[in-house]
Amino acid sequence: MPTLNIIGAGKLGKTLARLWQQQGFFQIRSLCNRSAESTRAAAQFIGAGTACGSIASMADADCWLIACGDGQIGEVAAQLAPRISAHPDTIVFHCSGALSSEVLSVCGPAAIASAHPVHSFADPQLSVQTLAGSSVAVEGDQAAVALLQRAFSALDCNILTIEPEHKTLYHAGSVFACNYLTALMDLSLRTFAAAGIEEQQALQLLKPIVLQTAANNMQLGPEKSLTGPIARGDVDTVRAQLNALQNTDAQLAQCYRQLGLACVELARRGALPDAAAAQLTELLSEPTR
Ligand SMILES: NC(=O)c1ccc[n+]([C@@H]2O[C@H](COP(=O)([O-])OP(=O)(O)OC[C@H]3O[C@@H](n4cnc5c(N)ncnc54)[C@H](OP(=O)(O)O)[C@@H]3O)[C@@H](O)[C@H]2O)c1
């Protein structure tokens, strides 16, 4: 069984480590976070791995995962490079969606790769139960890619290969659907709050429609899933909602305009008549008062 060291066993690192250890794919050997307390907590969560205070004090391993924040990956790779320079068979990878494996090139002659799981690791306890079925975008040196394809397949993930130059746009696509969906939920809850509906009740109200909308999109695609006043060309309703939002919170009104324009574009590809589309575009493009 190959051994794996992790620098930055945070939300993603400790989830993957625990799953790989349980599956018997990797033997988790050494862990190193910024703080000793966090490293010890990660070892406890994983159920394996020795907590180390520095990269220099970590044991040798076949494979290294650098799973600190994206901004620290290059700096940590530079610290790791002299530590592994005598071991050309070593594999080093990170899991950032935004960066390619290029940021690890300082670790050569080790084989380098990036493997981005399209999953939100908000809560590691939940993620260990829900990661299976997620997709993982992999790119890098052949030896590293081959190992990571097997490692993530062992966790029942789907593998997709990506060109390094496409990673930024690929990641922006994930940000729209994951992070911006969360921001949309917040905008919705703030709007309900302004209408006197408290959060728990609003979440109860939203759960079936949000899940149904997601299911419709997966099954029918966005064009056929769009319902509501913009899809119907109901200009008066859109004007009334915009006015109410402007009188409540400028950011809510601004977001309603921007997303409304995206809805008009989508509705035009469906049944929205050109005249209604033009009226809606003009209304939603007016500068916020
Ligand atoms: N979270 C997600 O949903 C998600 C999804 C896909 C990909 N990713 C990628 O996964 C990576 C990690 O994200 P995350 O959400 O797991 O981050 P995180 O929970 O903030 O964990 C980062 C870990 O890195 C450690 N760290 C930071 N700087 C370090 C350094 N210089 N040396 C050693 N350890 C250091 C931190 O230690 P302390 O605990 O001591 O501060 C922390 O344990 C990122 O590349 C991210 O893009 C994340």
Side-chain angles (χ1 to χ4, degrees):
M1 192 191 316
T3 49
L4 175 69
N5 282 353
I6 303 178
I7 305 171
K11 292 196 200 82
L12 172 139
K14 64 187 173 195
T15 302
L16 294 179
R18 179 153 139 184
L19 289 169
W20 277 324
Q21 180 74 26
Q22 280 173 355
Q23 288 297 320
F25 188 89
F26 281 123
Q27 183 196 334
I28 306 304
R29 184 160 277 177
S30 302
L31 309 168
C32 179
N33 288 2
R34 241 177 330 212
S35 80
E37 196 189 335
S38 159
T39 316
R40 274 195 302 274
Q44 198 172 15
F45 180 85
I46 296 164
T50 304
C52 299
S54 66
I55 294 173
S57 64
M58 295 172 84
D60 288 339
D62 301 307
C63 203
W64 293 70
L65 165 58
I66 301 180
C68 48
D70 290 2
Q72 286 91 51
I73 292 175
E75 182 190 313
V76 168
Q79 288 173 39
L80 176 61
R83 173 76 181 65
I84 58 170
S85 60
H87 306 278
D89 293 338
T90 305
I91 286 171
V92 182
F93 71 103
H94 69 69
C95 289
S96 165
L99 302 172
S100 76
S101 54
E102 175 66 27
V103 68
L104 303 176
S105 57
V106 67
C107 291
I112 55 171
S114 73
H116 175 243
V118 188
H119 178 91
S120 180
F121 293 83
D123 177 351
Q125 288 285 3
L126 276 179
S127 284
V128 290
Q129 294 162 38
T130 56
L131 181 72
S134 304
S135 291
V136 182
V138 184
E139 60 77 34
D141 294 335
Q142 203 181 352
V145 166
L147 179 75
L148 291 172
Q149 285 177 333
R150 287 193 284 116
F152 282 101
S153 295
L155 305 186
D156 289 326
C157 292
N158 309 308
I159 312 298
L160 91 125
T161 49
I162 185 154
E163 296 302 322
E165 63 270 26
H166 290 151
K167 274 209 79 173
T168 305
L169 276 177
Y170 147 84
H171 189 237
S174 309
V175 166
F176 267 126
C178 176
N179 307 155
Y180 283 20
L181 179 60
T182 304
L184 276 183
M185 288 294 296
D186 185 53
L187 294 172
S188 177
L189 291 174
R190 281 163 55 188
T191 308
F192 278 119
I197 301 171
E198 54 92 24
E199 184 166 319
Q200 279 316 309
Q201 199 180 3
L203 283 171
Q204 192 183 18
L205 176 162
L206 283 171
K207 188 175 174 182
I209 197 169
V210 169
L211 296 180
Q212 181 63 50
T213 305
N216 287 349
N217 273 280
M218 293 304 148
Q219 209 171 328
L220 308 172
E223 267 177 48
K224 291 190 176 137
S225 299
L226 188 67
T227 57
I230 290 180
R232 289 191 296 271
D234 193 344
V235 181
D236 290 342
T237 299
V238 174
R239 183 179 294 109
Q241 290 183 352
L242 192 50
N243 285 338
L245 289 169
Q246 266 170 192
N247 293 332
T248 303
D249 180 324
Q251 193 193 26
L252 292 178
Q254 182 63 14
C255 291
Y256 186 93
R257 285 177 189 283
Q258 291 300 320
L259 290 162
L261 288 168
C263 281
V264 173
E265 269 316 296
L266 184 56
R268 282 170 74 101
R269 286 186 249 146
L272 185 67
D274 285 348
Q279 270 182 290
L280 285 165
T281 302
E282 192 184 342
L283 174 63
L284 292 164
S285 304
E286 280 169 13
T288 308
R289 277 186 271 127

